[in-house]
Amino acid sequence: MPFYAMRHGRTNFNDQGLCNDDPKRDVHLTDTGIAQIEAAAGYLRDIPLQRIITSELPRTRQSADIVNRHHQIPVSAHPDLNDIRSGFDGRPVADYFAAIGADPLHTRPPGGESLLEHKQRIARFLDWLRQQPERSILLVVHEETLRALSALLNGLTDQQMTQLHFANGQIVEFAW
């Protein structure tokens, strides 16, 4: 049975071009983001999901709650699904990418983690997920998390992982 992962909808910080990896910040879906997730929810409506797991960042829970209107299933957060710790929370995304540009896999900004460290965290989450009784699951996560999941579950190289891009509200199906 497949499981699904979805990127959260567009946020106010996406519109402002700012990084966010602090769950305490007021980062929420915009009207566009809500529409993206409502479209995704329509696609997922007839899939017999058993559980939704989000990161601790509010935009993933807000996205999950929209999808869950059709399912009424348990929703929980797992810290390992949190967005990559950029070290640039509240600062421009362009500054973050400039800081890691020379080596996006290994560069660890002050207060942050590298993409490979993030991938290790996602691998740990997958080990935990395999122990859970539910098999039909939706993960509501972030773009870097989707990159790591895709690399780990589809056998991609680290370099291939850096080339992946996922739109807000995009759903990816994975096999167990």
Side-chain angles (χ1 to χ4, degrees), residues 133-162:
E134 300 91 357
R135 300 322 287 151
S136 184
I137 295 169
L138 172 65
L139 307 178
V140 184
V141 296
H142 310 274
E143 185 170 32
E144 296 294 359
T145 306
L146 279 169
R147 285 182 179 135
L149 285 166
S150 295
L152 290 162
L153 295 167
N154 295 330
L156 303 178
T157 67
D158 291 337
Q159 189 57 43
Q160 289 171 317
M161 173 178 65
T162 66

Side-chain angles (χ1 to χ4, degrees), residues 7 25 62 64-65 87 89 96 106 131 156 163:
R7 185 176 176 201
R25 275 200 192 268
Q62 188 181 3
D65 288 344
D89 188 72
Y96 168 69
H106 300 97
Q131 304 303 313
L156 303 178
Q163 304 305 309

Side-chain angles (χ1 to χ4, degrees), residues 8 19-22 55-57 59 79-86 113 118 121 141-145:
H8 61 79
C19 294
N20 172 238
D21 46 75
D22 179 357
S55 77
E56 296 175 313
L57 285 91
R59 60 190 178 266
D80 281 346
L81 290 178
N82 287 356
D83 204 356
I84 190 168
R85 288 186 308 276
S86 67
E113 66 185 336
H118 181 68
R121 180 160 45 95
V141 296
H142 310 274
E143 185 170 32
E144 296 294 359
T145 306

Side-chain angles (χ1 to χ4, degrees), residues 18-32:
L18 299 174
C19 294
N20 172 238
D21 46 75
D22 179 357
K24 295 178 184 75
R25 275 200 192 268
D26 180 25
V27 177
H28 54 272
L29 300 184
T30 62
D31 290 343
T32 298

Side-chain angles (χ1 to χ4, degrees), residues 34-72:
I34 291 168
Q36 290 167 331
I37 299 306
E38 286 174 342
Y43 174 83
L44 294 166
R45 167 182 255 148
D46 296 325
I47 294 173
L49 296 173
Q50 298 171 301
R51 183 176 181 186
I52 301 173
I53 306 172
T54 70
S55 77
E56 296 175 313
L57 285 91
R59 60 190 178 266
T60 61
R61 179 59 189 240
Q62 188 181 3
S63 297
D65 288 344
I66 293 168
V67 171
N68 203 27
R69 291 176 191 159
H70 300 294
H71 299 279
Q72 303 301 313

Side-chain angles (χ1 to χ4, degrees), residues 1-5 126 129 135 137 139 153 172-176:
M1 175 172 282
F3 76 94
Y4 302 86
L126 286 173
L129 188 63
R135 300 322 287 151
I137 295 169
L139 307 178
L153 295 167
V172 180
E173 183 177 321
F174 294 106
W176 281 103

